[in-house]
Amino acid sequence: MLMLKCPNCGVTAEETEFAPGGEAHLKRYTAGSEDQAFSDYLFARKNPRGVHFERWRHAFGCGKWFHVARCTATLEVFGTYSAQTSTPPDNIIAAVKAKRPDWEGFK
Amino acid sequence: MSTRLTSGGSVIDRETSVSFTFNGKKFKGHKGDTLASALLANGQTLVGRSFKYHRPRGIMASGVEEPNALVNMGQGNRFEPNQRTTTTEVFDGLTAKSQNHWPSLEFDIGAINNKVPRLLPAGFYYKTFMKPQWAWKHLFEPIIRHSAGLGNAPKEADADRYEYFYAYVDVLIVGGGMAGLAAAREAGASGAKVLLLEQTANLGGRLAVDSATIDGKPSAEWIAQTTAELEAMENVTIRTRMMGSGVFDHGYAMGYERITDHAPSDTAPRHRLWRIRAKRIVTATGALERPISFAGNDIPGVMLASAVRDYATLFGVSAGDRTVVVTNNDDAYRTAITMKNAGLEVPVILNARTEANGALPNQARALGIRVETGKGISSVNGYKFVTGVEICSQAGEGTPLETIPCDVVAMSGGWSPVVHLWSHCGGKLNWDEANAMFSPDPSRPPLGADGNGFVLTAGTASGDLHSAPALQNAITAGRQAATEAGFTPTESAAPLVITEAEEPMLPVWSMPAGAPYKLRAKSWLDFQNDVKVSDVRLAAQEGYESVDHTKRYTTLGMATDQGKLSNINGLAILADSVNAPIPKVGTTTFRPPYTPISLGSIAGEARGNLFKPTRKSPIDTWQDANDAVWEPVADWRRPYTYRRSGETTGQAVTREIMNTRTGVSILDASTLGKILVKGPDAAKFLDLLYTNMMSSLKVGKCRYGLMCTENGFLFDDGVVARLSDDEFLCHTTTGGSDNVYAWMEEWLQTEWWDLEVYTTNVTEQFAQIAIVGPNARKVLEKLGGMDVSSEALPFMSFTDGTLAGIKARPFRISFSGELSYEIAVPNAQGQAFWDKVMEAGEEFGIMPYGTEALHVMRADKGFIMIGDETDGTVIPQDLKLGWAVSKKKEDFIGKRAMEREFLQRSDRKQLVGLLTENPADVLPDGAHAVEGGKNRYGQENMIGHVTSTYFSPTLNHSIAMALIKSGSKRMGEVLTFPIGNNKTIKATVVDPVFYDKEGERQNV
Amino acid sequence: MSNAVSILNGATFNGAVKITEAGLRGMITLRGDLSSAQLKAAVSAAVGLDIPAQRKVDHGPMGGVAWMSPDEVLLLVEYDKADAITADISNALTGEHHMVVNVSDARAVFLVAGKGSREVLAKGAPVDLSPDAFGIGDIRRSRIGQLVAAFWMTEDETFELVCFRSVGAFMFDWLSTAAREGSLPEYL
């Protein structure tokens, strides 16, 4: 069971305080968009063995959403950061690179 | 005969006697005894019957690894099966009964299985109960069920209490033996917050039995002194009778504390499950001795060598008068020496190694004990108890050379480190060839949140089986754990341990090496599940090469002891059978808990009235006192109806409906979700959230709105009221309040964070009381305080004011089709308001109605219910709610999905009304409509199903709503609904609005 | 407001630790830009206190204020004054994006008092409640068993705990069970 630090209220708490929200940084496709793009937005999700970016909500705490950069294989947490960003910030990218030099980068 | 010795017994209090019963017979033991030691002290060596062959079984071990001596413990509401006698402390009044026999322990009919073991080989069940198919249900399963299981299932609810406890520490140390104590002292001295768990009642572990001199002190003194040092440290806590049962991700460990098992109590919890977060976990879990596989190694009296000396040293109990020791290592000589020094006979030590010249063998010889090298046991004589052993050459095929009378066989196949907790969360193992064991690989530990290892092993658990290196290893582990947890260990001198040097062990997986089938078929591997060497060989012959498959096929290691004694021997036999090295065959996965923990402890306090929170409205107490028939609605309980004495539930519902249609009734609608949405962008936000246009709603007005997911599927509905230019109140369904609130926040925080909008869930700030029926306005007028005329408060509007002296906000909205006011008042005054309404309404015959009347009346009107007419695949258009889906808005959640071809098809299932041919026939909920013909599976072709169905007292006719393929094109069609037993109901497709189609009744 | 009642009318349980339903309390949710001078002034006018730091709670003669999230504080006032203070703050923040709501009736408040109160909460909250990790002035939003809750300490060995009103009776039963005589771990 994971321990995560909520960047909004600063609490490091166990997983039971949080609710998972799936893959982070999805781009929303709306009215008029291409069928394939919309279908991918709805249904296609990354499932990497390794570095992954996720959304979590501090459901039993401050109620705020945030992002987590995590390794799905080892459960290592590289960092947590604001939900109000559409790509991982530089410091998170650097933190991942430092631990996973072979990581191909955020795509 | 086992008995109490006149001396020895470091953990028992000879001054204090306790009485207990075993199979109804009264016994006496001492405080500090385990049930096992007390039984042995009373000469009770036969304790149970085995699982498959019902063979007599005794006590084999002295701790958690005990496979045989399990009993039914306690009585009535404190009864529990499969309790280990070796880990149960005796107390006054303890009652235990042996298991798995009929009619008695001494004479067991089931032992007939033992006469025909060839008929019960590995995979017996898979091979035998295959055909005919019918026989499984009617013949095989009932028989197997009758004979399956060890103990009896409890029949009464558990009288005890259980609970959780959350603890956060820097260093958690599991195990209170030499290594655990030493590691704790190092970590404690650094200032780290340390919690040390010991599963038994006593500290010291093996050091309390196998003496050594540490830093000039005898072991007992070292244990006492180290314990005292730890107790003096404020940052260190020692908890005994608490097992470290599992290690999980990110420093999470489970502690299983047995608080009252040794001293029953009506106040204290029986077990407390500790949920511990530690920066570092040190597993000082020691090692377990391995049995040896020889014929008859399961007969009562055959015991682990270490257990035999544990009973003598710790409990002052001799397992028997004449002990034959059989071993492949030096350590077991300690047992011979202990027994001899206690004045008992040790006729021979059978040493499977060809030489034995270490300090311990020489000490044994010096005591006059006969030592036979290169020898083993061909077979054990006896059935219910050991009478002797047949000696043979280990290298041969088991030809008996000599019969040695004895009543105890103390066996030792070497030791395996307890790697369970290291392995639970992914710690990897190495094969140690010299000691023939798997030991932790410190370079591949379980990884924590920071990517570093968070578990360290200490002492023998690391694979250092001898005291001196084990102690050094533990000290290093304690210091490393403290350092990694952010503390600085203090300097300490290397310890000086003086103990006997030991020569290498020799792996002996089968005794004798060339044992023929006849011997192998009596050589047990898994004592609890009755798996023998012959079974594993047979599995290998039949092609089971993977350890995981073999385990499941033979049930090796699948009993309640999870193979603590059997795993390594079974692996070795399998490896030998398939001609592979042991590490290649690998080991099965170690999973928590380390030993079984009570289901009660997992449930914790969540039972009875604390099982699950029930949300209660402010009117709950009144409702409960006024005949409410409760119904769970989401997390709430709501009155289904208020059943008066003499009424059936159905009659009560009918009364409530007719009273509402003709007079006036009152409904507690407090459970509806209420969410405030405020900000400069509130209207814009709601336009995105709802399918309807909400920005055009006028202040003071209400609008029914729909919410869809991005898939276009309807998931909640409710009335939105505009409080001001920049503030809205959104009503949701009862079950949807938390979800919709979370949904709003999710979109605001993660997608549209540029919008200036705040939300607050005010569901529970208000009681919401609906006054419904033609006389509703009269009741409000009587309450007084504001103008509630149709001019001042028209349909689909609201206003703020006072009613009956209470701050109130009446909404003119209706879910019944009648004149209706839903009045929000402060929750804390909800009951007061309800009382005033009941008082004012008395002259109009007001009465409360429940959720069923609400449902029937809304169905009369064709109003949909989220969860009835929707199931996560339904779009508004399917429900004739296309009018509520804006075509003007550029975007809203679900809009893009509605452009998809599948959602635009004309043959989607659409909402229709149904009138049954016979007005009295009520369609079953979920009934399917068929259109004739069968599909390729031979099933009827189905075209849709009933979503809501009631008998409407208003219409005096059964009504239903259904989702039917191309339903809107089928008006007037008669559909067929098979309802089982070859019966069908026919119903005509009609408009789903059955009553007051023009809406005149609600708009007055 | 004589006819306003709290969820359990001040019920108490005396065990190893004393549990008391605290009666009606005024609580106001204020959301907005916590760094804004206008908002700070409004809060100061309402309860005479500054905006607390992250996860802190402060009390004074006029009331209390608790940090709830980066854009939310909870004002603790007298129940009967909550509506008026809510209106005052709303007026004071005219022109600034904010939300202020009286939520007094949506809550139940409990006092958990006595030696061992930390342990009562630690039976249900996955929170480090040892004295070096949690003290007076801290507020924690978490869960107690299955229930959402927030709690803080008013003095040594005394907690105030807030949950939703609809589960107030369940919370009281839970706390009473956890606080019964002879059940404390005596660890913290």
Side-chain angles (χ1 to χ4, degrees), chain A residues 28 30 35 41 55 65 75, chain B residues 250 710 746 749 891 896:
Chain A
R28 182 170 182 258
T30 181
D35 273 356
Y41 158 60
R55 308 185 319 147
W65 284 87
L75 308 189
Chain B
H250 292 190
E710 279 284 54
E746 179 178 351
Q749 291 179 38
D891 186 15
R896 172 62 183 84

Side-chain angles (χ1 to χ4, degrees), chain B residues 289-506:
Chain B
E289 195 169 28
R290 306 194 291 236
I292 298 178
S293 306
F294 49 82
N297 64 347
D298 69 324
I299 296 171
V302 181
M303 300 174 71
L304 294 174
S306 57
V308 172
R309 65 181 187 271
D310 285 351
Y311 286 115
T313 309
L314 298 174
F315 303 100
V317 169
S318 69
D321 296 343
R322 287 172 63 82
T323 302
V324 167
V325 174
V326 56
T327 180
N328 65 352
N329 61 71
D330 277 4
D331 179 66
Y333 283 79
R334 293 193 166 95
T335 299
I337 294 163
T338 302
M339 299 308 269
K340 188 79 180 173
N341 284 339
L344 300 159
E345 284 302 310
V346 181
V348 69
I349 296 172
L350 302 171
N351 192 326
R353 298 171 298 181
T354 50
E355 282 181 71
N357 301 315
L360 287 161
N362 288 338
Q363 213 175 310
R365 286 190 185 98
L367 285 169
I369 301 173
R370 174 181 167 199
V371 175
E372 289 283 344
T373 54
K375 298 291 191 303
I377 290 175
S378 169
S379 65
V380 180
N381 299 329
Y383 179 59
K384 286 185 194 166
F385 48 86
V386 171
T387 57
V389 293
E390 301 292 334
I391 299 184
C392 66
S393 291
Q394 168 59 18
E397 293 188 327
T399 308
L401 303 174
E402 184 185 348
T403 305
I404 308 253
C406 64
D407 53 3
V408 173
V409 177
M411 60 180 167
S412 177
W415 293 77
S416 296
V418 174
V419 297
H420 298 64
L421 277 86
W422 168 263
S423 302
H424 282 167
C425 198
K428 298 290 185 285
L429 303 174
N430 284 331
W431 176 248
D432 176 338
E433 194 69 49
N435 292 302
M437 65 188 188
F438 284 105
S439 60
D441 178 352
S443 69
R444 294 180 295 164
L447 302 180
D450 57 1
N452 298 321
F454 69 91
V455 180
L456 299 96
T457 59
T460 47
S462 301
D464 290 322
L465 294 183
H466 304 304
S467 315
L471 183 57
Q472 185 54 59
N473 174 281
I475 287 168
T476 307
R479 297 171 69 84
Q480 189 184 335
T483 307
E484 290 177 4
F487 296 83
T488 311
T490 54
E491 287 304 314
S492 66
L496 181 65
V497 181
I498 300 169
T499 182
E500 298 87 352
E502 293 177 40
E503 296 198 320
M505 58 87 78
L506 171 81

